[in-house]
Amino acid sequence: MFKNSKLFFWTIEILAVALLIFLLTKIGFVFQPIRTLLTLLFVPFIIAGFLYFVFNPILLFLERKFKIKRGLGALGIILILFVGLIILIASIIPNIVSQLTGLINATTKLYPQLRTWVESLSQNPRFHTLYEQIDVNSLLSRLNISYVDILHNLLNNVTGSIGSIVGVISSIIMVVILVPILLYYMLKDGEKILPFLREHVLIEDKLKIIDLLENMNKTISRYISGVALDALLVFITVFIGYLVLGIPYAFLFALFSGITNIIPYAGPYIGVLPMAFTVAFDRPWTALFAVAYVLILQQIDGNVVYPKIIGTAVKIHPVTVMILMLISGSLYGILGMIIAVPAYSLIKEIVKFINGLYRNHKKQRLFQTNDENML
């Protein structure tokens, strides 16, 4: 009676699952190294995967056109990326440090100049009554913006968060080390994964899972190509605008804007910060015009160009792309906007695959029914 009872069966199943969850919560420390390893590999794997889809078409072209072996071509791409990163850092960082030093030097003179200017206003009969009512001297004393106080507070904050700083630096170093290694092996052996699965794992692939994986791979590749094309267009237009406005390091700042444009909507705002910080102290009006130009460009790209390019790449209507971005952004922020379109595209491929299986199953049943009727 108990063996045939569904209530007894599901009760045992639920109790077993509850017991398993309880045991896992008690021995969670056993899986902590695995969790740490996965967390450590997640960001480098995502970055390497993105770069793989960007540079794999170039590697295929070199392999077919010039007969360059994949391993050698992958190594060449990584070396070019590494040299480009070094040039970028060597060109921008010293200038930013110089600007930051000038800003700190300016702050040492700002407070005395401000106090002298305010005290001069107190000698003006038109401002004397207002000066006494507000008690400006007391206000300036409470303002506490002297250079020594700022430096003291900054050092205290840095000392208190030294552990976090070391952790961030360690994470960056691990990303810099792991991304080239993962990217090299992805570029070198990435094209062998599906053939390997077809020959050794899914030998009798009656459900045609390999076809689903190929379609998903093509979808992701088209999406990354679309994002890269949009970033290239942003780089070109920003570079031209910076050249016209006479922005120093126009190529590097435009390149940074193109890279950060990968982050939908928020990327252009991040991309304009180094340029604005570098130029604002020497040529504030030029920096203002450049920021306005980039923000106008962002509106055009985010609402017209990006949905059109991405929608065409993954075969989704541009309006659908915009709706996905708005909904995912409101629910999950920047991360949601980044993964919304590729996740939707992959889900669409899975739904199409399941629908195809259902239709084939329905046709087979219909044929079997007709054969039985004929007999």
Side-chain angles (χ1 to χ4, degrees):
M1 179 180 65
F2 286 110
K3 290 182 179 180
N4 297 327
S5 173
K6 291 184 177 180
L7 177 61
F8 176 77
F9 172 79
W10 285 112
T11 301
I12 295 298
E13 290 289 323
I14 293 173
L15 289 175
V17 172
L19 179 61
L20 178 62
I21 294 174
F22 175 77
L23 292 175
L24 290 176
T25 58
K26 296 299 181 182
I27 61 173
F29 64 92
V30 176
F31 302 98
Q32 185 62 35
I34 300 176
R35 186 183 307 160
T36 304
L37 179 62
L38 293 177
T39 303
L40 184 65
L41 291 177
F42 179 76
V43 173
F45 187 82
I46 293 296
I47 296 175
F50 177 83
L51 294 176
Y52 165 77
F53 284 107
V54 170
F55 292 106
N56 188 54
I58 299 175
L59 192 58
L60 289 175
F61 173 77
L62 295 175
E63 185 180 17
R64 294 170 183 172
K65 187 72 175 179
F66 301 101
K67 307 300 181 182
I68 297 176
K69 294 183 178 180
R70 291 189 64 88
L72 184 61
L75 185 61
I77 289 175
I78 292 174
L79 288 176
I80 292 173
L81 289 175
F82 186 71
V83 172
L85 182 62
I86 292 177
I87 293 174
L88 183 65
I89 294 175
S91 301
I92 292 181
I93 297 299
N95 191 54
I96 293 178
V97 171
S98 175
Q99 294 293 332
L100 184 59
T101 303
L103 177 62
I104 294 174
N105 292 332
T107 57
T108 62
K109 304 175 183 178
L110 177 63
Y111 182 71
Q113 291 175 354
L114 177 63
R115 191 178 187 92
T116 302
W117 177 72
V118 172
E119 289 176 350
S120 66
L121 289 179
S122 66
Q123 306 300 324
N124 192 323
R126 290 178 295 179
F127 297 101
H128 183 72
T129 303
L130 180 63
Y131 186 89
E132 292 182 345
Q133 291 177 350
I134 298 178
D135 193 7
V136 177
N137 285 326
S138 176
L139 179 63
L140 289 175
S141 299
R142 292 196 304 268
L143 196 56
N144 192 22
I145 58 173
S146 66
Y147 173 71
V148 176
D149 293 329
I150 293 175
L151 183 60
H152 178 69
N153 294 331
L154 180 62
L155 290 176
N156 286 337
N157 292 330
V158 170
T159 305
S161 58
I162 192 70
S164 301
I165 295 174
V166 172
V168 170
I169 294 175
S170 301
S171 300
I172 293 174
I173 292 174
M174 290 304 298
V175 168
V176 172
I177 293 174
L178 290 176
V179 166
I181 297 173
L182 293 174
L183 178 59
Y184 172 77
Y185 284 106
M186 284 182 180
L187 291 172
K188 181 176 177 293
D189 302 322
E191 295 294 313
K192 301 177 182 178
I193 295 178
L194 290 179
F196 175 82
L197 292 176
R198 182 182 287 111
E199 294 176 5
H200 301 283
V201 180
L202 299 172
I203 300 174
E204 296 182 2
D205 189 14
K206 296 180 180 180
L207 298 179
K208 297 182 179 181
I209 297 178
I210 291 295
D211 293 342
L212 171 63
L213 296 176
E214 288 179 347
N215 290 334
M216 294 174 69
N217 180 63
K218 292 177 181 178
T219 299
I220 292 295
S221 179
R222 289 196 301 267
Y223 170 75
I224 298 297
S225 299
V227 171
L229 176 60
D230 181 71
L232 177 62
L233 293 177
V234 169
F235 160 72
I236 293 173
T237 51
V238 171
F239 178 57
I240 294 173
Y242 284 175
L243 285 179
V244 172
L245 292 172
I247 301 294
Y249 308 104
F251 178 83
L252 296 177
F253 288 140
L255 180 62
F256 184 75
S257 295
I259 294 173
T260 56
N261 195 72
I262 295 171
I263 305 174
Y265 292 105
Y269 298 102
I270 300 173
V272 79
L273 290 178
M275 180 280 302
F277 182 78
T278 303
V279 180
F281 299 105
D282 296 329
R283 300 160 59 190
W285 284 108
T286 301
L288 181 62
F289 287 137
V291 170
Y293 170 75
V294 173
L295 295 183
I296 293 173
L297 178 65
Q298 187 271 338
Q299 293 297 319
I300 298 173
D301 177 73
N303 296 301
V304 180
V305 180
Y306 182 87
K308 179 62 177 177
I309 292 177
I310 300 301
T312 302
V314 296
K315 300 178 181 179
I316 299 176
H317 197 278
V319 175
T320 305
V321 175
M322 295 180 65
I323 293 174
L324 286 171
M325 303 290 286
L326 292 173
I327 295 176
S328 61
S330 62
L331 292 177
Y332 305 107
I334 294 177
L335 181 61
M337 289 190 291
I338 294 175
I339 67 174
V341 176
Y344 176 84
S345 303
L346 294 179
I347 292 173
K348 187 181 74 169
E349 291 296 330
I350 294 173
V351 170
K352 287 169 59 177
F353 175 75
I354 295 174
N355 185 48
L357 292 179
Y358 173 75
R359 288 185 176 182
N360 291 334
H361 179 68
K362 193 174 181 180
K363 288 180 180 179
Q364 291 178 0
R365 292 189 60 182
L366 180 61
F367 291 149
Q368 290 178 358
T369 303
N370 292 337
D371 292 341
E372 292 175 356
N373 292 334
M374 290 177 63
L375 294 175

